[in-house]
Amino acid sequence: MATSPVAGGRAVRAAGPATDHDRRPPRSWPAVLLSAGVVAGLFTVQFLRNHRFAYLDDRQADGVAKLVDMGRILAAGKWPWLSTNVVNSGGYAVEYQNGVFNPVNLAFGVLMGHLDDAAFASFLQLLAHLTVLAAAAAWLGRLVGLSTAWSVAFAASVGFGPYTVFWGAGWYQAVVSFSWFVLAVAAVVALHRTEQQRYGWVLLVAAFLCHQSGWPLAIPVLGLFVAAVVVARLVTGCARGATGWIAAWYGGGVLTPLVGLYPLLVSFRFASRSSSISNEANANVAPLEGLLHAADPSYYGWFTSFDGYRLQELPHFYVAWFVLPVLLLWRPAPVGPRVRALAGATVALSVVTALGALGPERALVFRFPTRFLQYWGFFLLLAVALLVAHGRFAPSGRRLAALAASLVLLVLNSLQADPDGPARVVGLGALTAVLCLALVGPRPARPPGRRWRLVVPDAPGRASGAVVAVGTVLVLGVLGWLHPMARGFDWGFPQEPGALETLSREDYTLWYGSYAPLEAPGELPSPAPQAEQYYEEYRPSSTGLLTGDRQINGYSPLAHRFLREHVPLDDHGNFGDSGAELFTSVDGGTGLTWLELLRVDQVVAQHGPRDVQLAEELDGSWRRTSIGEHTSTYRRAPYRLPGLVSYAAPGVEIEDRESCRRQHSRECVRVSGGDGGRVVFARLWFPGYTATFAGRPVDVVRYEGTLVAVDLPAGAAGDLVLSYRSPAVVPLGSLAVAVVAGLAGAQVVASRRARAVPRGRAEPAEVSTR
């Protein structure tokens, strides 16, 4: 029987002739459990050190608030297409980011809606996805041939990498999308290595959840990886039938989530997020430093983005300390076609994502090129894993000297980047050097008649595996302990929203201001003591959703370009120093101000230039009712028209009471006659609105491109019912069901045909003993 080289250079006899169905992946559950436990433990330590670690920046302003709102809507027995508790960013189905068709997201929304501690609720959501991420990475490590110890090191570096945790914990859906992305990659590799169709269902589910996670960048990267694997299999001569199945299962994972993606695709007729489309001249050079410092846990990555952010001191360019010794001291061994195909796909995606990280600053929804670093780091680690699993030590004096010189240069560069932290830089640099030396495992030896010298074994053994696993957990633990703050700023919102009273009245409240003016928002303790009283008076961004406030403001990943012409909110749903001159202006078509068209019955203005301007711009129907320490409150009399009707043409007679119970996705009014004309609702227009009048369909029009409106015929009477549901939900939902049924049927047919055909000889299985 022939032998085949495997991990560490050991030759193992192939098991003899085997069919694709005889191949079994190595036992993975010890690595999966260990990795999930390690990452969950490290993240829990972060939370214990800083109770608000997973509740910062965008998650505080947007992600948690909206998930809680969606969960409350779902718990009330309604589907969370949109929310009428907030106008800007109220179209959940259209915004896509929270995934109204993602059952995992919805389940967490319901759970989080029942928890009083918003920081703890956010922690639980991220903890679950980090556990999935670590488990998927460990399974992937075992699939490519890593030992259990090396799989733990690989999975921990992927799951608790600073670009995953320190950046993603404070940002919406970065960890969520990445967890399903890595699971989908692992499923592709399982199909590729074993050709067992049961893993196709894992790929289908993981791809669906990844596409419904809320971050579009994961979609093209996953598609490119699958395409690279398919092409590599064809080039290396792998079975074409199995290749077709990989493409089919992934194709199903692309078609089924269209029911959730389509609303996003049709949103660009009104979407206008300033931070993704403007500022095209901005330069971004930080990713180059990130690539150079992939293996340096002591380096502070300086990231300068557009004017929405400041310099951020985070180690978010660190990937894994063992990258340098592996790249410098390992060399690949001869492998079979499946490993060659996987290695080719991995290298191709490493190049693509590295170029993406160095690419232009503006690519519509992709926004920062630095976000490619999360994916580049993953494919770099996967390439290292393949090298370790299917290679051997190839040490030499020059390579050892290059490793030592690289470590010294990294420390020197880190000292230049952070001259105020020499103890941290030198300490972590020394720790990395010791771990590299232990990983290489040199031992003194004296050949006959020669001097003593250091000899490096030509194959990694159990000792080196233990070093890399323990060393990785140690380095990540030190980094986590030294950096108890995630990416972005802590705006100080209390983690117990239930302790705050709802401030809105019957209709909408407009918060005319911004975040709490904290002097040091990125420092502990968190929240800052002076912030609590501020949030008793004011609710910035989407945080009012946590306390049940009905408001105009809201963080939007898309932004409604027409609304911004009248209410100049930024991406977070806050104001600059001005804007009152626009939303107090009179609309020529209705004779109402935009505050009235939006049914705003309360404006809370932050003290300073905004409050002064607002007092000058408001007309006589408004009066100042209170002056707090941080804000002034202005109110007007209740509106006469029912529901969310903000305007009815003089020829339209609308009864005072609603004809049915208003819901998040439905509005009902009774028209008793008149000359006909336009009815305008204080609902932001999104694709998906329909209307009936007296039981017959009528057209829904956009008023000033912003609000939902209906034109009624003269002399007619009856109920006007306005409804919303996600665009094309019925045909695309039917397509998803048909795709799943088709794949299941095709699998049954293929399985029966395979059992009917006698097994023949096939290429030997690629065996790994690691």
Side-chain angles (χ1 to χ4, degrees):
M1 297 176 66
T3 60
S4 60
V6 295
R10 293 188 294 273
V12 180
R13 288 187 180 275
T19 66
D20 291 340
H21 298 286
D22 291 330
R23 297 188 182 94
R24 293 291 183 270
R27 187 178 63 176
S28 302
W29 65 264
V32 168
L33 293 180
L34 283 172
S35 301
V38 165
V39 171
L42 291 172
F43 190 56
T44 301
V45 170
Q46 289 288 81
F47 183 67
L48 294 176
R49 283 214 68 204
N50 176 10
H51 188 80
R52 299 169 57 81
F53 181 88
Y55 185 53
L56 299 173
D57 200 46
D58 286 356
R59 287 192 65 80
Q60 180 186 110
D62 173 57
V64 174
K66 289 184 179 179
L67 271 179
V68 167
D69 187 46
M70 291 169 60
R72 290 171 180 168
I73 296 172
L74 193 63
K78 303 174 181 66
W79 199 259
W81 305 118
L82 47 76
S83 172
T84 56
N85 286 329
V86 61
V87 171
N88 189 49
S89 79
Y92 293 153
V94 175
E95 286 181 350
Y96 165 72
Q97 69 175 13
N98 284 306
V100 298
F101 294 97
N102 187 322
V104 179
N105 283 23
L106 294 178
F108 271 106
V110 174
L111 173 65
M112 295 163 73
H114 287 83
L115 296 176
D116 291 332
D117 189 335
F120 179 65
S122 176
F123 164 75
L124 288 181
Q125 186 209 19
L126 290 177
L127 178 65
H129 284 93
L130 285 172
T131 303
V132 171
L133 173 58
W139 181 37
L140 176 60
R142 294 293 286 147
L143 285 171
V144 301
L146 289 178
S147 67
T148 296
W150 271 97
S151 294
V152 171
F154 170 73
S157 297
V158 172
F160 197 74
Y163 209 81
T164 298
V165 173
F166 288 91
W167 176 274
W171 177 60
Y172 58 86
Q173 309 306 344
V175 175
V176 174
S177 62
F178 195 49
S179 64
W180 303 124
F181 172 87
V182 175
L183 181 59
V185 169
V188 171
V189 174
L191 278 170
H192 168 65
R193 294 298 305 274
T194 70
E195 297 181 1
Q196 296 180 18
Q197 295 306 309
R198 63 185 182 186
Y199 298 119
W201 292 106
V202 180
L203 174 57
L204 178 68
V205 172
F208 175 86
L209 294 174
C210 179
H211 285 63
Q212 291 293 329
S213 65
W215 177 227
L217 179 57
I219 297 175
V221 178
L222 179 59
L224 287 172
F225 175 73
V226 175
V229 170
V230 168
V231 171
R233 283 180 60 90
L234 294 175
V235 171
T236 55
C238 296
R240 292 180 177 271
T243 303
W245 272 108
I246 293 176
W249 284 114
Y250 173 71
V254 171
L255 292 176
T256 51
L258 285 179
V259 66
L261 280 172
Y262 180 74
L264 174 69
L265 299 177
V266 300
S267 70
F268 295 109
R269 70 182 81 174
F270 67 86
S272 175
R273 183 180 172 99
S274 61
S275 63
S276 62
I277 298 177
S278 62
N279 305 312
E280 296 179 357
N282 188 39
N284 192 339
V285 297
L288 180 59
E289 288 193 83
L291 299 180
L292 296 177
H293 285 271
D296 182 8
S298 64
Y299 180 66
Y300 265 121
W302 291 91
F303 171 39
T304 306
S305 180
F306 60 92
D307 57 3
Y309 296 91
R310 304 174 186 175
L311 288 174
Q312 299 179 34
E313 298 178 353
L314 289 178
H316 59 272
F317 292 132
Y318 160 80
V319 176
W321 64 269
F322 52 82
V323 166
L324 279 178
V326 170
L327 292 180
L328 291 174
L329 300 178
W330 258 268
R331 286 296 178 267
V335 292
R338 286 183 177 79
V339 175
R340 290 201 308 272
L342 182 58
T346 300
V347 172
L349 265 294
S350 298
V351 173
V352 169
T353 50
L355 292 176
L358 294 170
E361 173 69 13
R362 294 294 169 256
L364 294 178
V365 295
F366 298 144
R367 301 182 67 212
F368 313 132
T370 41
R371 287 177 178 168
F372 277 96
L373 281 176
Q374 183 179 38
Y375 298 90
W376 172 80
F378 167 73
F379 285 111
L380 173 65
L381 286 172
L382 185 55
V384 170
L386 287 167
L387 197 60
V388 172
H390 303 280
R392 56 185 297 164
F393 280 122
S396 68
R398 291 182 179 180
R399 289 175 181 166
L400 291 173
L403 175 61
S406 299
L407 294 174
V408 171
L409 287 175
L410 287 175
V411 170
L412 292 176
N413 192 280
S414 298
L415 287 172
Q416 290 179 333
D418 184 24
D420 296 330
R424 177 187 58 80
V425 171
V426 175
L428 279 173
L431 175 62
T432 303
V434 170
L435 289 173
C436 289
L437 187 65
L439 174 62
V440 172
R443 61 180 183 271
R446 183 181 180 183
R450 298 186 180 183
R451 298 180 180 179
W452 288 92
R453 64 188 181 93
L454 291 177
V455 177
V456 179
D458 65 352
R462 291 187 176 181
S464 65
V467 168
V468 77
V470 175
T472 299
V473 175
L474 176 63
V475 169
L476 291 176
V478 170
L479 281 174
W481 186 265
L482 292 177
H483 299 278
M485 298 294 289
R487 166 259 191 184
F489 297 132
D490 179 5
W491 302 112
F493 192 79
Q495 62 241 21
E496 296 183 3
L500 298 176
E501 296 181 359
T502 300
L503 298 179
S504 62
R505 305 173 71 205
E506 180 179 351
D507 285 294
Y508 287 115
T509 292
L510 180 69
W511 309 101
Y512 189 37
S514 189
Y515 293 111
L518 304 182
E519 294 183 359
E523 297 180 1
L524 296 176
S526 170
Q530 69 271 26
E532 185 174 355
Q533 188 175 9
Y534 179 80
Y535 283 91
E536 291 178 353
E537 301 180 18
Y538 192 90
R539 311 285 156 77
S541 194
S542 300
T543 53
L545 291 172
L546 293 170
T547 53
D549 285 291
R550 301 187 67 230
Q551 61 188 53
I552 298 296
N553 311 63
Y555 187 117
S556 176
L558 297 174
H560 203 293
R561 70 175 71 216
F562 302 103
L563 177 67
R564 284 187 169 187
E565 295 176 2
H566 311 288
V567 185
L569 296 167
D570 62 18
D571 294 342
H572 279 227
N574 299 317
F575 284 91
D577 292 334
S578 63
E581 72 282 1
L582 294 178
F583 59 72
T584 59
S585 62
V586 176
D587 169 61
T590 61
L592 302 177
T593 66
W594 275 91
L595 287 178
E596 294 169 323
L597 280 172
L598 292 168
R599 287 188 70 112
V600 175
D601 62 358
Q602 179 176 253
V603 180
V604 180
Q606 198 172 7
H607 284 165
R610 302 182 187 94
D611 186 25
V612 173
Q613 183 194 29
L614 182 64
E616 296 175 351
E617 298 287 350
L618 289 176
D619 59 30
S621 63
W622 292 84
R623 60 188 179 90
R624 180 183 290 171
T625 58
S626 65
I627 300 177
E629 181 176 347
H630 303 281
T631 62
S632 294
T633 300
Y634 300 82
R635 292 176 178 173
R636 56 151 291 155
Y639 291 96
R640 178 186 60 85
L641 294 171
L644 287 179
V645 178
S646 59
Y647 170 79
V652 179
E653 298 177 6
I654 296 180
E655 296 184 4
D656 293 339
R657 293 184 302 173
E658 296 174 281
S659 60
C660 66
R661 185 178 179 182
R662 178 168 55 87
Q663 300 177 359
H664 292 85
S665 57
R666 187 179 66 180
E667 199 83 26
C668 307
V669 295
R670 177 157 294 170
V671 179
S672 56
D675 298 331
R678 176 161 291 179
V679 177
V680 180
F681 295 85
R683 284 176 174 261
L684 200 60
W685 182 87
F686 297 109
Y689 271 105
T690 58
T692 61
F693 180 56
R696 296 181 178 180
V698 292
D699 292 334
V700 175
V701 298
R702 288 185 288 169
Y703 184 74
E704 293 294 318
T706 306
L707 300 179
V708 176
V710 177
D711 292 328
L712 300 179
D719 290 340
L720 173 61
V721 180
L722 181 73
S723 303
Y724 177 87
R725 68 180 179 184
S726 182
V729 63
V730 173
L732 291 178
S734 301
L735 173 64
V737 173
V739 167
V740 173
L743 285 171
Q747 185 183 25
V748 170
V749 172
S751 178
R752 289 179 177 178
R753 288 182 176 178
R755 287 196 297 267
V757 176
R759 294 186 177 185
R761 297 179 64 86
E763 59 180 313
E766 296 167 11
V767 182
S768 175
T769 61
R770 293 194 62 76

